[in-house]
């Protein structure tokens, strides 16, 4: 330890605990940079689960990590879809369980996920020139709650969540999902019994 020097110490017997102070971050609004709302996968690993994972198991993961979404992968860890935490708790699961003639507890992520083919993406470069309002407008126009973010190599490196924007900015959402198949239209219609 000869390479280090000893620090000068002081008497702390009359010391008091310092007051905490809020980090004075500027308020975020719709005109703030869109990059402020990107869940960057290179900075924080997103929750992932294989498509055969049950809804119950996925809900435990999402709740434990307080995430708005879970990325769905195949057996080779390739991204195949996405499920929102809201979908994991929605009546959509009961409808799908009835259609599949399976108990609700056995419905898997594969059964309720939004396939990657139906997800929309924007480049990180485009987002660097955009504001949060631009991203939200894009999601409203596309009828999607999420935008995947891509790097120059078309690698998916992040995600923007409409719910996260709404929660952070305390604004209502006006996103109506656009059905891309007849079965999705049927799922969205409530049948009277």
């Amino acid at each position: 330890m000869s390479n280090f020097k000893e620090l000068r110490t002081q008497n702390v017997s009359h010391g008091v605990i310092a007051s905490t102070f809020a980090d004075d971050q500027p308020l975020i609004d719709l005109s703030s940079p869109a990059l402020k709302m990107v869940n960057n996968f290179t900075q924080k690993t997103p929750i992932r689960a294989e498509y055969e994972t049950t809804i119950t198991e996925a809900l435990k993961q999402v709740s434990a990590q307080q995430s708005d979404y879970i990325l769905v992968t195949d057996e080779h860890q390739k991204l195949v879809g996405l499920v929102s935490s809201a979908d994991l708790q929605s009546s959509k699961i009961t409808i799908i369980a009835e259609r599949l003639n399976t108990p609700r507890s056995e419905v898997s992520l594969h059964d309720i996920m939004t396939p990657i083919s139906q997800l929309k993406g924007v480049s990180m470069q485009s987002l660097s020139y955009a504001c949060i309002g631009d991203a939200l407008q894009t999601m409203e126009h596309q009828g999607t709650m999420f935008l995947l973010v891509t790097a120059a190599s078309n690698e998916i490196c992040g995600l923007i969540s409409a719910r996260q924007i709404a929660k952070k900015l305390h604004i209502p959402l006006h996103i109506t999902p656009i059905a891309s198949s007849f079965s999705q239209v049927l799922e969205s219609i409530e049948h009277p019994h």
Side-chain angles (χ1 to χ4, degrees):
M1 298 286 291
S2 61
N3 294 339
F4 302 102
K5 62 181 180 179
E6 185 175 342
L7 298 175
R8 192 173 67 116
T9 60
Q10 61 189 50
N11 182 339
V12 292
S13 60
H14 297 292
V16 293
I17 297 175
S19 300
T20 56
F21 61 93
D23 188 6
D24 290 338
Q25 290 186 339
L27 290 174
I28 294 179
D29 61 22
L30 289 172
S31 60
S32 298
L35 292 176
K36 289 188 177 283
M37 294 307 299
V38 173
N39 294 285
N40 193 324
F41 299 163
T42 62
Q43 295 171 356
K44 184 181 178 203
T45 305
I47 300 175
R48 300 175 197 199
E50 281 197 27
Y51 60 92
E52 293 176 354
T53 303
T54 66
I55 301 309
T56 308
E57 293 169 28
L59 195 52
K60 286 179 190 171
Q61 272 187 286
V62 167
S63 297
Q65 297 189 35
Q66 299 178 343
S67 178
D68 194 29
Y69 61 90
I70 190 164
L71 299 180
V72 184
T73 60
D74 64 12
E75 62 275 4
H76 305 294
Q77 297 303 302
K78 181 180 178 227
L79 181 65
V80 293
L82 184 137
V83 174
S84 72
S85 58
D87 282 346
L88 290 173
Q89 302 169 59
S90 73
S91 59
K92 177 181 178 180
I93 296 170
T94 305
I95 294 166
I96 291 171
E98 288 173 4
R99 191 180 67 204
L100 296 173
N101 197 24
T102 186
R104 189 179 198 282
S105 61
E106 291 180 22
V107 173
S108 70
L109 290 178
H110 180 265
D111 300 319
I112 69 159
M113 73 179 187
T114 301
I116 187 112
S117 60
Q118 293 175 18
L119 294 169
K120 302 296 179 189
V122 292
S123 71
M124 188 70 85
Q125 183 176 1
S126 293
L127 285 177
S128 67
Y129 303 108
C131 65
I132 294 170
D134 297 334
L136 196 55
Q137 174 66 29
T138 303
M139 288 186 268
E140 286 178 4
H141 183 76
Q142 297 290 328
T144 183
M145 297 299 287
F146 299 96
L147 281 177
L148 295 175
V149 180
T150 60
S153 60
N154 207 30
E155 179 182 52
I156 297 169
C157 61
L159 172 147
I160 296 179
S161 163
R163 276 190 190 87
Q164 194 175 21
I165 292 171
K167 194 185 311 180
K168 186 132 187 142
L169 303 184
H170 307 289
I171 59 173
L173 285 179
H174 303 291
I175 297 177
T176 305
I178 299 170
S180 60
S181 69
F182 184 69
S183 65
Q184 287 179 345
V185 172
L186 290 178
E187 284 173 20
S188 66
I189 299 173
E190 292 183 6
H191 297 285
H193 293 289

